Amino acid sequence: MTDSTVTDQVALSHLNQQGEANMVDVTEKAMTSRTATAQGFIKMNRATFDLITTGKHKKGDVFAVARIAGIQAAKKCSDLIPLCHPLMLSKVQVDFTLDNENSHVIVTSLCRLTGQTGVEMEALTAVSVACLTLFDMCKAADPAMEIHGIKVLTKAGGKSGQWHAN
């Protein structure tokens, strides 16, 4: 399914008939297992990359801090994004893959629950905040870092079933 197909088939659900912001009513939706994964990356200079991957950064284990920040962010998503439902997440995972060749840290998240609405926003929020935390902890060493490519990779569950990014 392409982006335009999705747009053509689904009305904007966060607007009521008057065009006003509206929290979607999920009362009648079935409770199903729902999972989403998201990914993004932070590009940094070689010296900074080497500092954090060898554990020599003076702030300590930046990956441990960024992992906790990402998990907390997913749990607080509805506090950050106005029309998101508060969710009882059963699993939040944040992982880091090191791209040595390009001095990138790839951040991936997985969010899961049994509920009435999807967890894509929680997965995106986890990745975003984990990347921001890495930036915050390393900005003195490399203020020119760049965060890129934050996107949903997969979603599963609910009425729409499985979806995978191209």
Side-chain angles (χ1 to χ4, degrees):
M1 193 178 295
T2 66
D3 290 344
S4 63
T5 305
V6 170
T7 304
D8 293 342
Q9 293 178 353
V10 179
L12 297 176
S13 59
H14 287 80
L15 299 176
N16 65 18
Q17 291 188 359
Q18 293 76 40
E20 301 164 334
N22 177 50
M23 187 173 185
V24 175
D25 184 354
V26 297
T27 305
E28 302 302 320
K29 289 178 113 180
M31 296 281 285
T32 62
S33 177
R34 296 162 184 265
T35 303
T37 60
Q39 186 176 77
F41 67 91
I42 184 165
K43 176 182 168 184
M44 58 191 65
N45 66 37
R46 173 53 62 184
T48 304
F49 186 82
D50 290 344
L51 269 179
I52 66 173
T53 58
T54 60
K56 294 180 181 173
H57 193 292
K58 67 180 180 180
K59 291 188 178 180
D61 186 350
V62 299
F63 297 112
V65 176
R67 177 175 285 115
I68 292 168
I71 292 167
Q72 286 182 310
K75 293 166 39 177
K76 291 292 195 176
C77 185
S78 67
D79 291 336
L80 301 169
I81 300 175
L83 301 175
C84 282
H85 293 84
L87 301 180
M88 291 296 296
L89 295 167
S90 56
K91 174 72 175 173
V92 179
Q93 182 175 325
V94 176
D95 294 308
F96 304 99
T97 304
L98 305 177
D99 178 349
N100 290 306
E101 185 177 323
N102 297 301
S103 301
H104 293 171
V105 176
I106 301 164
V107 181
T108 307
S109 70
L110 172 136
C111 291
R112 181 177 295 137
L113 60 64
T114 298
Q116 297 167 294
T117 188
V119 291
E120 299 93 333
M121 295 310 300
E122 288 71 14
L124 287 165
T125 301
V127 165
S128 299
V129 171
C131 284
L132 289 168
T133 301
L134 289 172
F135 189 101
D136 181 51
M137 294 191 74
C138 298
K139 67 183 181 269
D142 186 2
M145 290 177 290
E146 297 177 3
I147 296 171
H148 291 273
I150 296 173
K151 63 183 179 179
V152 174
L153 296 177
T154 65
K155 65 176 240 138
K159 185 171 65 173
S160 60
Q162 302 274 340
W163 180 87
H164 298 276
N166 295 331

